[in-house]
Amino acid sequence: MSENFKLDLIHRPRRLRRTASLRALVEETQLRPADFIAPLFVVDGRGSPEPVSSMPGVLRRNVADLVKECRALFKLGVPAVALFPKIDQRLKDEDGAVGLSEDGLVLRAVRAVKKAVPGLTVMTDIALDPYTTHGHDGVLTAGRDDVDNDRTVGILAQMAILHARAGVDMVAPSDMMDGRIGAIRQALNAAGFPQTAIMAYSAKFASAYYGPFRDAVGSAKAAGTHLLGKATYQLNPANRREALIEAALDEAEGADIIMVKPAGPYLDIIREVRGATNKPVAAYQVSGEYSQIHAAAKLGWLDYARTRHESLLAIKRAGAGMILTYFAKEMAVELVR
Ligand code: PBG
């Protein structure tokens, strides 16, 4: 009986999956090098590139090596980089004052990259965590039990002006303070930088997936733990509607691009934000998402290249028009082949 069982079906979705060319015709989402923004880590000095142990293949580079990497990325069709400084521990203090230094590492890096590769879009993180001894994204309140929102926003607005003056195309506030997008927009306008864009880390969750990044920039391990959590400013991973409130506020305050972070575990948020705004939507595939694929592949449990590709395809399919990812260069190489 089962050998010659026949269904008289009208709809057979498998008809369009029968051959490779049919599958290509009905494919809905494609990745391209221009989808990616490469996060890059920069250090002071002239040393050779330093590997980040928890992020295989990721390096901290001095400014000269950073410039070379940016040239290579641009040549491969990657349109943008996001720069993150690793600051010498001895330069850090409670208030992260070195973040406002006129000759800071990230400013030197921006100038060098923009000079060498003017066509590359360069963005920088606006937050205090690389500069503070405690690793928080802002300055602490008098009682040292929370981040002081308004004082932090004042500092971040100054920082954005310094970065704009150094030549960044876009600043990316990742601090999650209230009102920072509006304050930064006003500060940039008043300082003569009306064209400097803002990519807002609008829906940034208090995520365990940032662990390897804190290793990469050497920010205090205490932050994000029970000792000193970021839960008073980053979003609760349980909350979807609250993420939409943040996205709406950032849009109203003048964000040019709305970002969701992390990406892979938050595809529902990407989808909802995509539906809620007409601004471009970005997603950040964070360090932990990258490292877990590496770890599983190293154990022989996942196919590295296929998982890498699928993880990014899913983020784009969910609605992200651009993706910050540590896989940017490898993906561009794969896609231009
Ligand atoms: C901090 C910042 C973080 C990341 C980017 N900017 C970490 C944090 O909020 O603690 C994480 C990026 C990643 O994990 O790849 N302003």
Side-chain angles (χ1 to χ4, degrees):
M1 155 76 191
S2 61
E3 295 92 82
N4 40 29
F5 188 76
K6 290 273 186 278
L7 290 169
D8 180 22
L9 291 182
I10 292 172
H11 296 288
R12 287 188 184 269
R14 289 186 57 194
R15 275 178 208 129
L16 297 181
R17 296 180 210 136
R18 196 168 50 80
T19 66
S21 54
L22 282 167
R23 290 193 294 274
L25 281 174
V26 299
E27 184 166 276
E28 298 175 33
T29 310
Q30 287 97 24
L31 294 170
R32 48 184 197 135
D35 295 331
F36 303 120
I37 299 165
L40 297 173
F41 298 109
V42 58
V43 281
D44 246 317
R46 296 168 188 278
S48 38
E50 308 167 2
V52 178
S53 59
S54 56
M55 300 180 73
V58 171
L59 302 167
R60 302 185 199 99
R61 296 174 169 85
N62 66 33
V63 173
D65 289 330
L66 176 79
V67 167
K68 283 186 205 153
E69 182 68 3
C70 288
R71 244 193 223 110
L73 283 161
F74 193 59
K75 228 173 161 174
L76 284 164
V78 174
V81 295
L83 304 183
F84 295 95
K86 179 178 191 260
I87 303 297
D88 190 327
Q89 288 299 336
R90 289 165 302 191
L91 297 176
K92 299 184 185 184
D93 61 22
E94 280 266 296
D95 282 355
V98 65
L100 292 183
S101 138
E102 295 277 347
D103 197 37
L105 172 59
V106 80
L107 305 180
R108 281 179 277 123
V110 167
R111 283 187 220 110
V113 172
K114 282 308 293 185
K115 189 169 169 209
V117 202
L120 181 71
T121 292
V122 176
M123 65 177 81
T124 49
D125 219 49
I126 301 295
L128 286 174
D129 57 299
Y131 311 107
T132 53
T133 40
H134 44 73
H136 273 301
D137 292 32
V139 293
L140 303 182
T141 53
R144 302 187 73 256
D145 57 352
D146 197 5
V147 170
D148 184 333
N149 190 89
D150 297 13
R151 200 155 71 86
T152 298
V153 170
I155 296 169
L156 297 180
Q158 285 179 44
M159 187 188 265
I161 293 172
L162 286 175
H163 291 203
R165 204 175 282 147
V168 282
D169 300 285
M170 203 161 356
V171 290
S174 67
D175 55 291
M176 290 298 282
M177 295 301 118
D178 293 336
R180 89 271 207 225
I181 301 300
I184 289 171
R185 183 69 273 156
Q186 280 181 350
L188 289 172
N189 290 357
F193 299 104
Q195 300 290 0
T196 305
I198 302 176
M199 176 187 279
Y201 284 72
S202 300
K204 179 173 180 181
F205 290 86
S207 174
Y209 286 89
Y210 306 148
F213 174 91
R214 291 177 188 164
D215 194 14
V217 298
S219 68
K221 287 283 188 301
T225 68
H226 64 286
L227 292 172
L228 209 54
K230 297 196 175 187
T232 69
Y233 45 106
Q234 297 179 348
L235 287 165
N236 180 346
N239 292 0
R240 185 175 51 80
R241 292 189 298 268
E242 199 181 350
L244 295 172
I245 292 174
E246 287 284 4
L249 284 172
D250 286 358
E251 182 173 359
E253 288 177 32
D256 298 285
I257 299 173
I258 308 291
M259 192 221 286
V260 176
K261 174 187 180 184
Y266 294 84
L267 296 181
D268 57 327
I269 309 292
I270 296 174
R271 175 83 290 183
E272 293 247 7
V273 169
R274 178 62 290 165
T277 178
N278 287 317
K279 295 284 184 182
V281 174
Y284 196 146
Q285 184 184 51
V286 301
S287 57
E289 298 178 71
Y290 173 86
S291 298
Q292 68 184 359
I293 290 174
H294 269 278
K298 193 173 166 197
L299 287 164
W301 293 350
L302 287 175
D303 180 279
Y304 177 70
R306 287 187 58 204
T307 312
R308 178 182 67 193
H309 193 277
E310 188 177 332
S311 69
L312 291 161
L313 194 65
I315 294 164
K316 187 167 183 185
R317 190 195 63 230
M322 61 195 94
I323 307 172
L324 290 98
T325 173
Y326 302 97
F327 292 125
K329 190 180 186 186
E330 290 180 9
M331 284 302 300
V333 169
E334 179 193 306
L335 293 167
V336 298
R337 245 202 330 241

